[in-house]
Amino acid sequence: CSEDLQKSESAFPAKLHRMLENAEKDGLQHIVSWVQRGTAFKVHDTHEFVRRILPLYFDQTKYESFRRQLNLYGFSRVSRGASRGVYHHQMLVQNDPSQCQNMHRLKSGIRSRRS
């Protein structure tokens, strides 16, 4: 039972990592890509992301649902400047999908805080 819980908890991060790796292989970096030397990612074209990529990896059909999942897993989003729209999580690292196993959904209403 706890093994199933762990699998469900890591499912979204693992799918996200796979999606980013495949976007690069499939030449779709103009839609979504790794940025900042593989320590973050950005959706460059929201419309095409929802239409072409989101349904392949996630049950969500709306961008807002995808963003909510990112928030639930503790991703932070840059809201200003040149990096606006970039999402970070210390355990999402290009070429290291094993780190995704350490990502867990936050309890509802609780945000991770940095000291």
Side-chain angles (χ1 to χ4, degrees), residues 20 26 33 38 48 51 58 65 69 77-79 85 94 98 103 107 109:
L20 290 164
D26 298 339
S33 69
E48 286 300 301
R51 190 175 79 81
F58 305 103
S65 299
Q69 286 294 315
R77 181 176 176 267
V78 178
S79 57
Q94 188 175 15
S98 66
M103 296 170 73
K107 300 242 188 272

Side-chain angles (χ1 to χ4, degrees), residues 24-65:
E24 189 171 331
K25 286 182 210 163
D26 298 339
L28 299 174
Q29 307 96 309
H30 62 287
I31 299 173
V32 62
S33 69
W34 291 105
V35 294
Q36 301 178 352
R37 297 183 181 169
T39 60
F41 78 95
K42 182 173 183 177
V43 176
H44 305 286
D45 185 333
T46 306
H47 176 75
E48 286 300 301
F49 178 76
V50 170
R51 190 175 79 81
R52 295 176 63 185
I53 296 176
L54 197 63
L56 298 175
Y57 297 92
F58 305 103
D59 294 333
Q60 290 97 1
T61 56
K62 296 180 182 170
Y63 189 65
E64 284 306 313
S65 299

Side-chain angles (χ1 to χ4, degrees), residues 1-16 18 57-60 69 72-73 100-106:
C1 186
S2 66
E3 197 173 314
D4 289 345
L5 181 62
Q6 285 180 329
K7 284 181 184 175
S8 67
E9 283 187 343
S10 63
F12 178 83
K15 287 178 186 178
L16 177 62
R18 193 173 327 113
Y57 297 92
F58 305 103
D59 294 333
Q60 290 97 1
Q69 286 294 315
L72 288 171
Y73 278 91
C100 293
Q101 296 171 8
N102 299 319
M103 296 170 73
H104 302 285
R105 250 177 102 144
L106 304 173

